[in-house]
Amino acid sequence: NGSASFGAMPGFGAEEEASAQHGGVVTADGATQELVGEDGAVWHGVDAEKARAKFAHYDTDNSGTLDSGEVVKLSVDLFQAFHPGKELTPEQIQDVHDKLLTRLDEREGDHDGTISFEEFLPWYTQSAEKHWKMLHGVLHPSQMEGGDSEVS
């Protein structure tokens, strides 16, 4: 079926699989066409309310932004979703964290050292679509740009 899922990781859970919606859906490139996986699943995009719930899952202090520690948890879950069964060293965790924070806050955000929902949503939408494509045979992991393209 066809909405965002990053596997069964907390925060990137499969509960979105059951919530594909046409109303309130955001697509990575703004297109309205549907993607169909090799298994017949249809991508409908990311429901903005589900994305807000994902953001809130990581915003453990309810500050409205993800601080450095919260981004670490997001980074680990994200990496494991794209690289199932692969464990990260502390150095790799820091590297994924730094790439994610750089992309979301420094390149596309307000440079305050935290990630707001407005900074999170476009990235999350793009990452969810990439993950869906990988899960449903539209995109092979080797086709992902730069190895860790989910954060680059």
Side-chain angles (χ1 to χ4, degrees):
N1 86 52
S3 67
S5 174
F6 288 156
M9 255 61 80
F12 284 100
E15 69 274 6
E16 285 188 339
E17 286 291 334
S19 66
Q21 303 284 328
H22 286 287
V25 168
V26 183
T27 59
D29 62 1
T32 57
Q33 69 183 30
E34 293 179 336
L35 295 172
V36 179
E38 288 182 358
D39 58 0
V42 178
W43 167 259
H44 297 288
V46 174
D47 183 298
E49 288 186 33
K50 293 288 183 184
R52 189 168 294 282
K54 294 296 183 198
F55 181 84
H57 171 81
Y58 291 102
D59 184 17
T60 57
D61 64 2
N62 298 314
S63 66
T65 60
L66 304 181
D67 62 31
S68 185
E70 293 164 332
V71 173
V72 165
K73 176 65 174 146
L74 171 62
S75 300
V76 169
D77 286 352
L78 174 69
F79 183 87
Q80 291 176 339
F82 279 90
H83 308 281
K86 193 172 182 181
E87 294 298 317
L88 289 167
T89 66
E91 294 80 19
Q92 289 171 315
I93 292 171
Q94 188 63 48
D95 183 53
V96 173
H97 165 274
D98 292 348
K99 286 180 181 179
L100 188 58
L101 196 57
T102 296
R103 176 173 180 193
L104 274 66
D105 185 50
E106 294 177 21
R107 288 195 310 199
E108 300 174 12
D110 60 9
H111 310 274
D112 67 352
T114 65
I115 298 172
S116 68
F117 180 72
E118 291 72 22
E119 294 165 331
F120 174 85
L121 182 60
W123 165 83
Y124 177 78
T125 300
Q126 182 181 43
S127 296
E129 183 175 333
K130 281 184 182 179
H131 191 255
W132 184 91
K133 287 177 177 179
M134 188 178 78
L135 290 176
H136 296 283
V138 178
L139 179 68
H140 187 272
S142 65
Q143 294 175 295
M144 296 178 63
E145 305 162 14
D148 287 332
S149 65
E150 65 272 10
V151 295
S152 59

